[in-house]
Amino acid sequence: MKINGLEGMTDAEINKELERGAKFVVFQYTISIIVLTFRRSSDVYFIPSGSSGFTKGLPFILISLLFGWWGIPWGPIYTIGSLANNISGGKNVTKELLRVINSSKA
């Protein structure tokens, strides 16, 4: 699994950031082709404390705005959901990711 934003960081630096409020998030995007609509999630992104996930989610917002609406009937429904998720900074998956990492170390 690829985690964007951790390049050059040590485990200690990551843990310190997490204690200060950093989080791991995924963004959603929607692509429609007339009668087919696909809702997908991005790779995991590390959002440092004090940073907004909104800017990292902009590419996925644009993809959904341009390509998500066109499927009937789920295109508009999934697109609105994807936009709401991304505008709010992405879906926080920190707890789930840490649980997986800690269980694999055991």
mmCIF file with all atom_site columns, all heavy atoms in Angstrom, residues 13-37:
data_model
loop_
_atom_site.group_PDB
_atom_site.id
_atom_site.type_symbol
_atom_site.label_atom_id
_atom_site.label_alt_id
_atom_site.label_comp_id
_atom_site.label_asym_id
_atom_site.label_entity_id
_atom_site.label_seq_id
_atom_site.pdbx_PDB_ins_code
_atom_site.Cartn_x
_atom_site.Cartn_y
_atom_site.Cartn_z
_atom_site.occupancy
_atom_site.B_iso_or_equiv
_atom_site.pdbx_formal_charge
_atom_site.auth_seq_id
_atom_site.auth_comp_id
_atom_site.auth_asym_id
_atom_site.auth_atom_id
_atom_site.pdbx_PDB_model_num
ATOM 1   N N   . GLU A 1 13 ? 9.416   10.666 13.724  1.00 0.00 ? 13 GLU A N   1
ATOM 2   C CA  . GLU A 1 13 ? 8.808   11.909 13.225  1.00 0.00 ? 13 GLU A CA  1
ATOM 3   C C   . GLU A 1 13 ? 7.326   11.706 12.913  1.00 0.00 ? 13 GLU A C   1
ATOM 4   O O   . GLU A 1 13 ? 6.505   12.573 13.201  1.00 0.00 ? 13 GLU A O   1
ATOM 5   C CB  . GLU A 1 13 ? 9.543   12.392 11.974  1.00 0.00 ? 13 GLU A CB  1
ATOM 6   C CG  . GLU A 1 13 ? 10.943  12.884 12.229  1.00 0.00 ? 13 GLU A CG  1
ATOM 7   C CD  . GLU A 1 13 ? 11.717  13.162 10.958  1.00 0.00 ? 13 GLU A CD  1
ATOM 8   O OE1 . GLU A 1 13 ? 11.465  12.493 9.926   1.00 0.00 ? 13 GLU A OE1 1
ATOM 9   O OE2 . GLU A 1 13 ? 12.583  14.043 10.991  1.00 0.00 ? 13 GLU A OE2 1
ATOM 10  N N   . ILE A 1 14 ? 7.000   10.563 12.334  1.00 0.00 ? 14 ILE A N   1
ATOM 11  C CA  . ILE A 1 14 ? 5.600   10.264 12.024  1.00 0.00 ? 14 ILE A CA  1
ATOM 12  C C   . ILE A 1 14 ? 4.788   10.171 13.304  1.00 0.00 ? 14 ILE A C   1
ATOM 13  O O   . ILE A 1 14 ? 3.700   10.767 13.407  1.00 0.00 ? 14 ILE A O   1
ATOM 14  C CB  . ILE A 1 14 ? 5.489   8.961  11.199  1.00 0.00 ? 14 ILE A CB  1
ATOM 15  C CG1 . ILE A 1 14 ? 6.147   9.132  9.834   1.00 0.00 ? 14 ILE A CG1 1
ATOM 16  C CG2 . ILE A 1 14 ? 4.023   8.535  11.055  1.00 0.00 ? 14 ILE A CG2 1
ATOM 17  C CD1 . ILE A 1 14 ? 6.356   7.836  9.084   1.00 0.00 ? 14 ILE A CD1 1
ATOM 18  N N   . ASN A 1 15 ? 5.301   9.449  14.291  1.00 0.00 ? 15 ASN A N   1
ATOM 19  C CA  . ASN A 1 15 ? 4.581   9.313  15.556  1.00 0.00 ? 15 ASN A CA  1
ATOM 20  C C   . ASN A 1 15 ? 4.402   10.663 16.252  1.00 0.00 ? 15 ASN A C   1
ATOM 21  O O   . ASN A 1 15 ? 3.345   10.929 16.833  1.00 0.00 ? 15 ASN A O   1
ATOM 22  C CB  . ASN A 1 15 ? 5.299   8.322  16.480  1.00 0.00 ? 15 ASN A CB  1
ATOM 23  C CG  . ASN A 1 15 ? 5.123   6.896  16.002  1.00 0.00 ? 15 ASN A CG  1
ATOM 24  O OD1 . ASN A 1 15 ? 4.091   6.538  15.443  1.00 0.00 ? 15 ASN A OD1 1
ATOM 25  N ND2 . ASN A 1 15 ? 6.137   6.081  16.206  1.00 0.00 ? 15 ASN A ND2 1
ATOM 26  N N   . LYS A 1 16 ? 5.423   11.514 16.206  1.00 0.00 ? 16 LYS A N   1
ATOM 27  C CA  . LYS A 1 16 ? 5.314   12.844 16.815  1.00 0.00 ? 16 LYS A CA  1
ATOM 28  C C   . LYS A 1 16 ? 4.228   13.663 16.118  1.00 0.00 ? 16 LYS A C   1
ATOM 29  O O   . LYS A 1 16 ? 3.432   14.338 16.764  1.00 0.00 ? 16 LYS A O   1
ATOM 30  C CB  . LYS A 1 16 ? 6.655   13.559 16.761  1.00 0.00 ? 16 LYS A CB  1
ATOM 31  C CG  . LYS A 1 16 ? 6.669   14.866 17.510  1.00 0.00 ? 16 LYS A CG  1
ATOM 32  C CD  . LYS A 1 16 ? 8.064   15.437 17.603  1.00 0.00 ? 16 LYS A CD  1
ATOM 33  C CE  . LYS A 1 16 ? 8.022   16.673 18.472  1.00 0.00 ? 16 LYS A CE  1
ATOM 34  N NZ  . LYS A 1 16 ? 9.347   17.155 18.800  1.00 0.00 ? 16 LYS A NZ  1
ATOM 35  N N   . GLU A 1 17 ? 4.194   13.596 14.793  1.00 0.00 ? 17 GLU A N   1
ATOM 36  C CA  . GLU A 1 17 ? 3.153   14.308 14.033  1.00 0.00 ? 17 GLU A CA  1
ATOM 37  C C   . GLU A 1 17 ? 1.766   13.775 14.369  1.00 0.00 ? 17 GLU A C   1
ATOM 38  O O   . GLU A 1 17 ? 0.813   14.539 14.511  1.00 0.00 ? 17 GLU A O   1
ATOM 39  C CB  . GLU A 1 17 ? 3.405   14.206 12.532  1.00 0.00 ? 17 GLU A CB  1
ATOM 40  C CG  . GLU A 1 17 ? 4.426   15.169 12.001  1.00 0.00 ? 17 GLU A CG  1
ATOM 41  C CD  . GLU A 1 17 ? 3.966   16.613 12.061  1.00 0.00 ? 17 GLU A CD  1
ATOM 42  O OE1 . GLU A 1 17 ? 2.791   16.913 11.769  1.00 0.00 ? 17 GLU A OE1 1
ATOM 43  O OE2 . GLU A 1 17 ? 4.812   17.450 12.414  1.00 0.00 ? 17 GLU A OE2 1
ATOM 44  N N   . LEU A 1 18 ? 1.645   12.454 14.495  1.00 0.00 ? 18 LEU A N   1
ATOM 45  C CA  . LEU A 1 18 ? 0.349   11.860 14.834  1.00 0.00 ? 18 LEU A CA  1
ATOM 46  C C   . LEU A 1 18 ? -0.116  12.315 16.216  1.00 0.00 ? 18 LEU A C   1
ATOM 47  O O   . LEU A 1 18 ? -1.305  12.588 16.415  1.00 0.00 ? 18 LEU A O   1
ATOM 48  C CB  . LEU A 1 18 ? 0.416   10.334 14.765  1.00 0.00 ? 18 LEU A CB  1
ATOM 49  C CG  . LEU A 1 18 ? 0.517   9.741  13.365  1.00 0.00 ? 18 LEU A CG  1
ATOM 50  C CD1 . LEU A 1 18 ? 0.822   8.257  13.427  1.00 0.00 ? 18 LEU A CD1 1
ATOM 51  C CD2 . LEU A 1 18 ? -0.758  10.000 12.571  1.00 0.00 ? 18 LEU A CD2 1
ATOM 52  N N   . GLU A 1 19 ? 0.810   12.429 17.159  1.00 0.00 ? 19 GLU A N   1
ATOM 53  C CA  . GLU A 1 19 ? 0.455   12.928 18.485  1.00 0.00 ? 19 GLU A CA  1
ATOM 54  C C   . GLU A 1 19 ? -0.016  14.371 18.432  1.00 0.00 ? 19 GLU A C   1
ATOM 55  O O   . GLU A 1 19 ? -0.849  14.791 19.230  1.00 0.00 ? 19 GLU A O   1
ATOM 56  C CB  . GLU A 1 19 ? 1.663   12.823 19.430  1.00 0.00 ? 19 GLU A CB  1
ATOM 57  C CG  . GLU A 1 19 ? 2.008   11.406 19.822  1.00 0.00 ? 19 GLU A CG  1
ATOM 58  C CD  . GLU A 1 19 ? 3.318   11.307 20.585  1.00 0.00 ? 19 GLU A CD  1
ATOM 59  O OE1 . GLU A 1 19 ? 3.920   12.359 20.931  1.00 0.00 ? 19 GLU A OE1 1
ATOM 60  O OE2 . GLU A 1 19 ? 3.752   10.163 20.839  1.00 0.00 ? 19 GLU A OE2 1
ATOM 61  N N   . ARG A 1 20 ? 0.506   15.144 17.495  1.00 0.00 ? 20 ARG A N   1
ATOM 62  C CA  . ARG A 1 20 ? 0.132   16.558 17.351  1.00 0.00 ? 20 ARG A CA  1
ATOM 63  C C   . ARG A 1 20 ? -1.130  16.751 16.513  1.00 0.00 ? 20 ARG A C   1
ATOM 64  O O   . ARG A 1 20 ? -1.566  17.873 16.318  1.00 0.00 ? 20 ARG A O   1
ATOM 65  C CB  . ARG A 1 20 ? 1.284   17.330 16.729  1.00 0.00 ? 20 ARG A CB  1
ATOM 66  C CG  . ARG A 1 20 ? 2.483   17.436 17.662  1.00 0.00 ? 20 ARG A CG  1
ATOM 67  C CD  . ARG A 1 20 ? 3.677   18.136 17.060  1.00 0.00 ? 20 ARG A CD  1
ATOM 68  N NE  . ARG A 1 20 ? 3.332   19.164 16.088  1.00 0.00 ? 20 ARG A NE  1
ATOM 69  C CZ  . ARG A 1 20 ? 4.187   19.668 15.217  1.00 0.00 ? 20 ARG A CZ  1
ATOM 70  N NH1 . ARG A 1 20 ? 5.419   19.225 15.186  1.00 0.00 ? 20 ARG A NH1 1
ATOM 71  N NH2 . ARG A 1 20 ? 3.818   20.591 14.364  1.00 0.00 ? 20 ARG A NH2 1
ATOM 72  N N   . GLY A 1 21 ? -1.686  15.667 15.967  1.00 0.00 ? 21 GLY A N   1
ATOM 73  C CA  . GLY A 1 21 ? -2.937  15.780 15.234  1.00 0.00 ? 21 GLY A CA  1
ATOM 74  C C   . GLY A 1 21 ? -2.880  15.448 13.759  1.00 0.00 ? 21 GLY A C   1
ATOM 75  O O   . GLY A 1 21 ? -3.860  15.661 13.036  1.00 0.00 ? 21 GLY A O   1
ATOM 76  N N   . ALA A 1 22 ? -1.756  14.942 13.292  1.00 0.00 ? 22 ALA A N   1
ATOM 77  C CA  . ALA A 1 22 ? -1.666  14.526 11.892  1.00 0.00 ? 22 ALA A CA  1
ATOM 78  C C   . ALA A 1 22 ? -2.610  13.347 11.667  1.00 0.00 ? 22 ALA A C   1
ATOM 79  O O   . ALA A 1 22 ? -3.052  12.700 12.614  1.00 0.00 ? 22 ALA A O   1
ATOM 80  C CB  . ALA A 1 22 ? -0.232  14.131 11.545  1.00 0.00 ? 22 ALA A CB  1
ATOM 81  N N   . LYS A 1 23 ? -2.919  13.088 10.401  1.00 0.00 ? 23 LYS A N   1
ATOM 82  C CA  . LYS A 1 23 ? -3.827  11.983 10.104  1.00 0.00 ? 23 LYS A CA  1
ATOM 83  C C   . LYS A 1 23 ? -3.519  11.397 8.732   1.00 0.00 ? 23 LYS A C   1
ATOM 84  O O   . LYS A 1 23 ? -2.845  12.016 7.908   1.00 0.00 ? 23 LYS A O   1
ATOM 85  C CB  . LYS A 1 23 ? -5.281  12.446 10.165  1.00 0.00 ? 23 LYS A CB  1
ATOM 86  C CG  . LYS A 1 23 ? -5.601  13.587 9.218   1.00 0.00 ? 23 LYS A CG  1
ATOM 87  C CD  . LYS A 1 23 ? -6.987  14.126 9.450   1.00 0.00 ? 23 LYS A CD  1
ATOM 88  C CE  . LYS A 1 23 ? -7.222  15.341 8.574   1.00 0.00 ? 23 LYS A CE  1
ATOM 89  N NZ  . LYS A 1 23 ? -8.529  15.910 8.788   1.00 0.00 ? 23 LYS A NZ  1
ATOM 90  N N   . PHE A 1 24 ? -4.025  10.202 8.531   1.00 0.00 ? 24 PHE A N   1
ATOM 91  C CA  . PHE A 1 24 ? -3.968  9.536  7.235   1.00 0.00 ? 24 PHE A CA  1
ATOM 92  C C   . PHE A 1 24 ? -5.370  9.601  6.639   1.00 0.00 ? 24 PHE A C   1
ATOM 93  O O   . PHE A 1 24 ? -6.347  9.291  7.319   1.00 0.00 ? 24 PHE A O   1
ATOM 94  C CB  . PHE A 1 24 ? -3.540  8.072  7.389   1.00 0.00 ? 24 PHE A CB  1
ATOM 95  C CG  . PHE A 1 24 ? -2.138  7.902  7.892   1.00 0.00 ? 24 PHE A CG  1
ATOM 96  C CD1 . PHE A 1 24 ? -1.892  7.622  9.225   1.00 0.00 ? 24 PHE A CD1 1
ATOM 97  C CD2 . PHE A 1 24 ? -1.064  8.020  7.025   1.00 0.00 ? 24 PHE A CD2 1
ATOM 98  C CE1 . PHE A 1 24 ? -0.599  7.457  9.688   1.00 0.00 ? 24 PHE A CE1 1
ATOM 99  C CE2 . PHE A 1 24 ? 0.237   7.861  7.479   1.00 0.00 ? 24 PHE A CE2 1
ATOM 100 C CZ  . PHE A 1 24 ? 0.472   7.580  8.819   1.00 0.00 ? 24 PHE A CZ  1
ATOM 101 N N   . VAL A 1 25 ? -5.471  10.008 5.380   1.00 0.00 ? 25 VAL A N   1
ATOM 102 C CA  . VAL A 1 25 ? -6.788  10.132 4.749   1.00 0.00 ? 25 VAL A CA  1
ATOM 103 C C   . VAL A 1 25 ? -6.775  9.511  3.358   1.00 0.00 ? 25 VAL A C   1
ATOM 104 O O   . VAL A 1 25 ? -5.715  9.341  2.749   1.00 0.00 ? 25 VAL A O   1
ATOM 105 C CB  . VAL A 1 25 ? -7.249  11.609 4.629   1.00 0.00 ? 25 VAL A CB  1
ATOM 106 C CG1 . VAL A 1 25 ? -7.356  12.264 5.988   1.00 0.00 ? 25 VAL A CG1 1
ATOM 107 C CG2 . VAL A 1 25 ? -6.351  12.409 3.722   1.00 0.00 ? 25 VAL A CG2 1
ATOM 108 N N   . VAL A 1 26 ? -7.959  9.175  2.882   1.00 0.00 ? 26 VAL A N   1
ATOM 109 C CA  . VAL A 1 26 ? -8.152  8.781  1.482   1.00 0.00 ? 26 VAL A CA  1
ATOM 110 C C   . VAL A 1 26 ? -9.207  9.701  0.891   1.00 0.00 ? 26 VAL A C   1
ATOM 111 O O   . VAL A 1 26 ? -10.093 10.199 1.586   1.00 0.00 ? 26 VAL A O   1
ATOM 112 C CB  . VAL A 1 26 ? -8.580  7.306  1.321   1.00 0.00 ? 26 VAL A CB  1
ATOM 113 C CG1 . VAL A 1 26 ? -7.486  6.368  1.747   1.00 0.00 ? 26 VAL A CG1 1
ATOM 114 C CG2 . VAL A 1 26 ? -9.845  7.009  2.059   1.00 0.00 ? 26 VAL A CG2 1
ATOM 115 N N   . PHE A 1 27 ? -9.091  9.921  -0.397  1.00 0.00 ? 27 PHE A N   1
ATOM 116 C CA  . PHE A 1 27 ? -10.041 10.743 -1.123  1.00 0.00 ? 27 PHE A CA  1
ATOM 117 C C   . PHE A 1 27 ? -10.833 9.858  -2.074  1.00 0.00 ? 27 PHE A C   1
ATOM 118 O O   . PHE A 1 27 ? -10.347 8.818  -2.510  1.00 0.00 ? 27 PHE A O   1
ATOM 119 C CB  . PHE A 1 27 ? -9.308  11.838 -1.906  1.00 0.00 ? 27 PHE A CB  1
ATOM 120 C CG  . PHE A 1 27 ? -8.514  12.751 -1.018  1.00 0.00 ? 27 PHE A CG  1
ATOM 121 C CD1 . PHE A 1 27 ? -7.149  12.585 -0.870  1.00 0.00 ? 27 PHE A CD1 1
ATOM 122 C CD2 . PHE A 1 27 ? -9.137  13.754 -0.295  1.00 0.00 ? 27 PHE A CD2 1
ATOM 123 C CE1 . PHE A 1 27 ? -6.418  13.400 -0.034  1.00 0.00 ? 27 PHE A CE1 1
ATOM 124 C CE2 . PHE A 1 27 ? -8.417  14.585 0.542   1.00 0.00 ? 27 PHE A CE2 1
ATOM 125 C CZ  . PHE A 1 27 ? -7.055  14.409 0.671   1.00 0.00 ? 27 PHE A CZ  1
ATOM 126 N N   . GLN A 1 28 ? -12.043 10.266 -2.372  1.00 0.00 ? 28 GLN A N   1
ATOM 127 C CA  . GLN A 1 28 ? -12.883 9.515  -3.306  1.00 0.00 ? 28 GLN A CA  1
ATOM 128 C C   . GLN A 1 28 ? -12.992 10.291 -4.616  1.00 0.00 ? 28 GLN A C   1
ATOM 129 O O   . GLN A 1 28 ? -12.917 11.515 -4.629  1.00 0.00 ? 28 GLN A O   1
ATOM 130 C CB  . GLN A 1 28 ? -14.283 9.323  -2.734  1.00 0.00 ? 28 GLN A CB  1
ATOM 131 C CG  . GLN A 1 28 ? -14.338 8.464  -1.511  1.00 0.00 ? 28 GLN A CG  1
ATOM 132 C CD  . GLN A 1 28 ? -15.750 8.380  -0.957  1.00 0.00 ? 28 GLN A CD  1
ATOM 133 O OE1 . GLN A 1 28 ? -16.612 9.182  -1.268  1.00 0.00 ? 28 GLN A OE1 1
ATOM 134 N NE2 . GLN A 1 28 ? -15.973 7.385  -0.123  1.00 0.00 ? 28 GLN A NE2 1
ATOM 135 N N   . TYR A 1 29 ? -13.189 9.556  -5.684  1.00 0.00 ? 29 TYR A N   1
ATOM 136 C CA  . TYR A 1 29 ? -13.491 10.195 -6.958  1.00 0.00 ? 29 TYR A CA  1
ATOM 137 C C   . TYR A 1 29 ? -14.498 9.340  -7.708  1.00 0.00 ? 29 TYR A C   1
ATOM 138 O O   . TYR A 1 29 ? -14.604 8.132  -7.481  1.00 0.00 ? 29 TYR A O   1
ATOM 139 C CB  . TYR A 1 29 ? -12.231 10.447 -7.790  1.00 0.00 ? 29 TYR A CB  1
ATOM 140 C CG  . TYR A 1 29 ? -11.423 9.227  -8.130  1.00 0.00 ? 29 TYR A CG  1
ATOM 141 C CD1 . TYR A 1 29 ? -11.592 8.582  -9.347  1.00 0.00 ? 29 TYR A CD1 1
ATOM 142 C CD2 . TYR A 1 29 ? -10.480 8.717  -7.243  1.00 0.00 ? 29 TYR A CD2 1
ATOM 143 C CE1 . TYR A 1 29 ? -10.849 7.462  -9.669  1.00 0.00 ? 29 TYR A CE1 1
ATOM 144 C CE2 . TYR A 1 29 ? -9.727  7.599  -7.556  1.00 0.00 ? 29 TYR A CE2 1
ATOM 145 C CZ  . TYR A 1 29 ? -9.910  6.981  -8.767  1.00 0.00 ? 29 TYR A CZ  1
ATOM 146 O OH  . TYR A 1 29 ? -9.168  5.869  -9.088  1.00 0.00 ? 29 TYR A OH  1
ATOM 147 N N   . THR A 1 30 ? -15.253 9.990  -8.557  1.00 0.00 ? 30 THR A N   1
ATOM 148 C CA  . THR A 1 30 ? -16.309 9.324  -9.315  1.00 0.00 ? 30 THR A CA  1
ATOM 149 C C   . THR A 1 30 ? -16.086 9.564  -10.802 1.00 0.00 ? 30 THR A C   1
ATOM 150 O O   . THR A 1 30 ? -15.812 10.689 -11.220 1.00 0.00 ? 30 THR A O   1
ATOM 151 C CB  . THR A 1 30 ? -17.695 9.863  -8.900  1.00 0.00 ? 30 THR A CB  1
ATOM 152 O OG1 . THR A 1 30 ? -17.850 9.690  -7.498  1.00 0.00 ? 30 THR A OG1 1
ATOM 153 C CG2 . THR A 1 30 ? -18.809 9.155  -9.638  1.00 0.00 ? 30 THR A CG2 1
ATOM 154 N N   . ILE A 1 31 ? -16.213 8.505  -11.570 1.00 0.00 ? 31 ILE A N   1
ATOM 155 C CA  . ILE A 1 31 ? -16.118 8.582  -13.027 1.00 0.00 ? 31 ILE A CA  1
ATOM 156 C C   . ILE A 1 31 ? -17.323 7.848  -13.599 1.00 0.00 ? 31 ILE A C   1
ATOM 157 O O   . ILE A 1 31 ? -17.619 6.724  -13.191 1.00 0.00 ? 31 ILE A O   1
ATOM 158 C CB  . ILE A 1 31 ? -14.811 7.954  -13.545 1.00 0.00 ? 31 ILE A CB  1
ATOM 159 C CG1 . ILE A 1 31 ? -13.607 8.733  -13.003 1.00 0.00 ? 31 ILE A CG1 1
ATOM 160 C CG2 . ILE A 1 31 ? -14.791 7.902  -15.062 1.00 0.00 ? 31 ILE A CG2 1
ATOM 161 C CD1 . ILE A 1 31 ? -12.267 8.122  -13.340 1.00 0.00 ? 31 ILE A CD1 1
ATOM 162 N N   . SER A 1 32 ? -18.016 8.483  -14.531 1.00 0.00 ? 32 SER A N   1
ATOM 163 C CA  . SER A 1 32 ? -19.202 7.882  -15.144 1.00 0.00 ? 32 SER A CA  1
ATOM 164 C C   . SER A 1 32 ? -19.046 7.782  -16.648 1.00 0.00 ? 32 SER A C   1
ATOM 165 O O   . SER A 1 32 ? -18.454 8.648  -17.294 1.00 0.00 ? 32 SER A O   1
ATOM 166 C CB  . SER A 1 32 ? -20.441 8.728  -14.848 1.00 0.00 ? 32 SER A CB  1
ATOM 167 O OG  . SER A 1 32 ? -20.713 8.736  -13.474 1.00 0.00 ? 32 SER A OG  1
ATOM 168 N N   . ILE A 1 33 ? -19.614 6.705  -17.188 1.00 0.00 ? 33 ILE A N   1
ATOM 169 C CA  . ILE A 1 33 ? -19.689 6.502  -18.630 1.00 0.00 ? 33 ILE A CA  1
ATOM 170 C C   . ILE A 1 33 ? -21.131 6.109  -18.935 1.00 0.00 ? 33 ILE A C   1
ATOM 171 O O   . ILE A 1 33 ? -21.478 4.931  -18.894 1.00 0.00 ? 33 ILE A O   1
ATOM 172 C CB  . ILE A 1 33 ? -18.712 5.397  -19.089 1.00 0.00 ? 33 ILE A CB  1
ATOM 173 C CG1 . ILE A 1 33 ? -17.307 5.676  -18.586 1.00 0.00 ? 33 ILE A CG1 1
ATOM 174 C CG2 . ILE A 1 33 ? -18.735 5.244  -20.595 1.00 0.00 ? 33 ILE A CG2 1
ATOM 175 C CD1 . ILE A 1 33 ? -16.357 4.514  -18.738 1.00 0.00 ? 33 ILE A CD1 1
ATOM 176 N N   . ILE A 1 34 ? -21.979 7.046  -19.145 1.00 0.00 ? 34 ILE A N   1
ATOM 177 C CA  . ILE A 1 34 ? -23.400 6.938  -19.456 1.00 0.00 ? 34 ILE A CA  1
ATOM 178 C C   . ILE A 1 34 ? -24.155 6.043  -18.472 1.00 0.00 ? 34 ILE A C   1
ATOM 179 O O   . ILE A 1 34 ? -24.795 6.542  -17.574 1.00 0.00 ? 34 ILE A O   1
ATOM 180 C CB  . ILE A 1 34 ? -23.641 6.532  -20.917 1.00 0.00 ? 34 ILE A CB  1
ATOM 181 C CG1 . ILE A 1 34 ? -22.964 7.563  -21.828 1.00 0.00 ? 34 ILE A CG1 1
ATOM 182 C CG2 . ILE A 1 34 ? -25.130 6.467  -21.213 1.00 0.00 ? 34 ILE A CG2 1
ATOM 183 C CD1 . ILE A 1 34 ? -22.986 7.234  -23.274 1.00 0.00 ? 34 ILE A CD1 1
ATOM 184 N N   . VAL A 1 35 ? -24.088 4.736  -18.611 1.00 0.00 ? 35 VAL A N   1
ATOM 185 C CA  . VAL A 1 35 ? -24.848 3.864  -17.710 1.00 0.00 ? 35 VAL A CA  1
ATOM 186 C C   . VAL A 1 35 ? -23.964 3.209  -16.645 1.00 0.00 ? 35 VAL A C   1
ATOM 187 O O   . VAL A 1 35 ? -24.466 2.492  -15.798 1.00 0.00 ? 35 VAL A O   1
ATOM 188 C CB  . VAL A 1 35 ? -25.622 2.764  -18.486 1.00 0.00 ? 35 VAL A CB  1
ATOM 189 C CG1 . VAL A 1 35 ? -26.679 3.397  -19.359 1.00 0.00 ? 35 VAL A CG1 1
ATOM 190 C CG2 . VAL A 1 35 ? -24.683 1.900  -19.297 1.00 0.00 ? 35 VAL A CG2 1
ATOM 191 N N   . LEU A 1 36 ? -22.662 3.448  -16.694 1.00 0.00 ? 36 LEU A N   1
ATOM 192 C CA  . LEU A 1 36 ? -21.744 2.892  -15.703 1.00 0.00 ? 36 LEU A CA  1
ATOM 193 C C   . LEU A 1 36 ? -21.144 4.020  -14.872 1.00 0.00 ? 36 LEU A C   1
ATOM 194 O O   . LEU A 1 36 ? -20.688 5.017  -15.426 1.00 0.00 ? 36 LEU A O   1
ATOM 195 C CB  . LEU A 1 36 ? -20.611 2.121  -16.383 1.00 0.00 ? 36 LEU A CB  1
ATOM 196 C CG  . LEU A 1 36 ? -21.004 0.915  -17.208 1.00 0.00 ? 36 LEU A CG  1
ATOM 197 C CD1 . LEU A 1 36 ? -19.787 0.365  -17.942 1.00 0.00 ? 36 LEU A CD1 1
ATOM 198 C CD2 . LEU A 1 36 ? -21.616 -0.157 -16.330 1.00 0.00 ? 36 LEU A CD2 1
ATOM 199 N N   . THR A 1 37 ? -21.154 3.842  -13.565 1.00 0.00 ? 37 THR A N   1
ATOM 200 C CA  . THR A 1 37 ? -20.552 4.818  -12.669 1.00 0.00 ? 37 THR A CA  1
ATOM 201 C C   . THR A 1 37 ? -19.600 4.084  -11.729 1.00 0.00 ? 37 THR A C   1
ATOM 202 O O   . THR A 1 37 ? -19.962 3.067  -11.148 1.00 0.00 ? 37 THR A O   1
ATOM 203 C CB  . THR A 1 37 ? -21.626 5.564  -11.867 1.00 0.00 ? 37 THR A CB  1
ATOM 204 O OG1 . THR A 1 37 ? -22.481 6.254  -12.781 1.00 0.00 ? 37 THR A OG1 1
ATOM 205 C CG2 . THR A 1 37 ? -21.008 6.566  -10.909 1.00 0.00 ? 37 THR A CG2 1
#
